[in-house]
Structure formats: C-alpha cells, structure tokens
Amino acid sequence: TGYQRRVHGVCLSYGSRGELVNACQSIARSVAAGQLALEEITESLISSRLLTGAHADPDLVLRTSGEHRLSNFLLYQLAYAEMVFLPKHWPELEQQDLYGVLDSYANRHRRFGK
C-alpha cells in the first residue's frame, strides 16, 4: 500500500444528524448573504462544511458490540466506507481481532458506488 499516514478518529457527544443540520445552515447563510450561488452547492462543498471537512472520508469502520447499525454516526461520510461488525465490545478486542478486520478489508473489492 502507498499509505504513509493514518487517521484514527474518536467522536464524543457526536450526532451526525445535528452535524448535517449545522452544515446546511452554514450553506444557507452563505447563500442568503450572497456569498454563494445555489449552483455552487456541491458534494465537495457540503463535505467541507461538516466537522470532518479537513479529513478524507473513512475507508473502514469497525463496529463493535454486535450492533449492525450506524447509530447516527458519520451518515454522510460513510457512503463508501467498508464496514466490519464484531460481537465483542471495544475493551475486549485483541490484536488478532484487529488483524482479522484488516485482512477482511484487504480482501474486499471496493467499487465506490460503481
């Protein structure tokens, strides 16, 4: 792989729906102020107004505790993320579990919606 840098994010007291509302309000204020035309609203602009705007969208999400849902987590950003679900809770994970997640990810064919 050509990756030289990895980013691990931790979200505390975070809700994606609220994040999306804030991004939409920010864009609406820019339009109302004449700083932005409706035609200039793009996926890239929306992404830039999200809390994660300075970072690339996640490639891989590990969901622990046996849950199989997003739970209001990065709803916009996870459009093309690969998801792995494990029955263990986070504190119970061992090194072999993480290696298994990475192996699973490495063997997936990513299509990015195509």
Side-chain angles (χ1 to χ4, degrees):
T1 72
Y3 292 103
Q4 299 298 318
R5 189 178 131 203
R6 290 166 184 79
V7 175
H8 303 273
V10 177
C11 299
L12 302 173
S13 188
Y14 164 84
S16 188
R17 287 181 174 184
E19 176 187 32
L20 288 167
V21 168
N22 290 336
C24 290
Q25 289 173 341
S26 171
I27 292 168
R29 280 192 292 275
S30 294
V31 171
Q35 301 166 336
L36 185 68
L38 289 175
E39 298 76 26
E40 295 176 293
I41 299 173
T42 62
E43 289 183 19
S44 177
L45 176 70
I46 294 168
S47 291
S48 74
R49 301 288 176 107
L50 298 173
L51 295 172
T52 56
H55 302 285
D57 289 343
D59 291 310
L60 173 66
V61 174
L62 169 58
R63 178 69 199 247
T64 59
S65 74
E67 300 294 343
H68 288 84
R69 62 177 185 266
L70 294 179
S71 297
N72 197 24
F73 182 72
L74 300 176
L75 298 175
Y76 191 87
Q77 299 91 326
L78 296 183
Y80 298 112
E82 296 293 324
M83 302 189 73
V84 176
F85 303 95
L86 294 179
K88 293 182 177 181
H89 291 285
W90 183 255
E92 300 168 342
L93 291 183
E94 298 174 352
Q95 188 174 17
Q96 68 189 25
D97 297 316
L98 296 177
Y99 285 144
V101 168
L102 294 175
D103 284 342
S104 171
Y105 176 74
N107 290 313
R108 293 184 184 192
H109 175 68
R110 303 199 63 208
R111 296 181 302 276
F112 299 97
K114 296 176 184 166

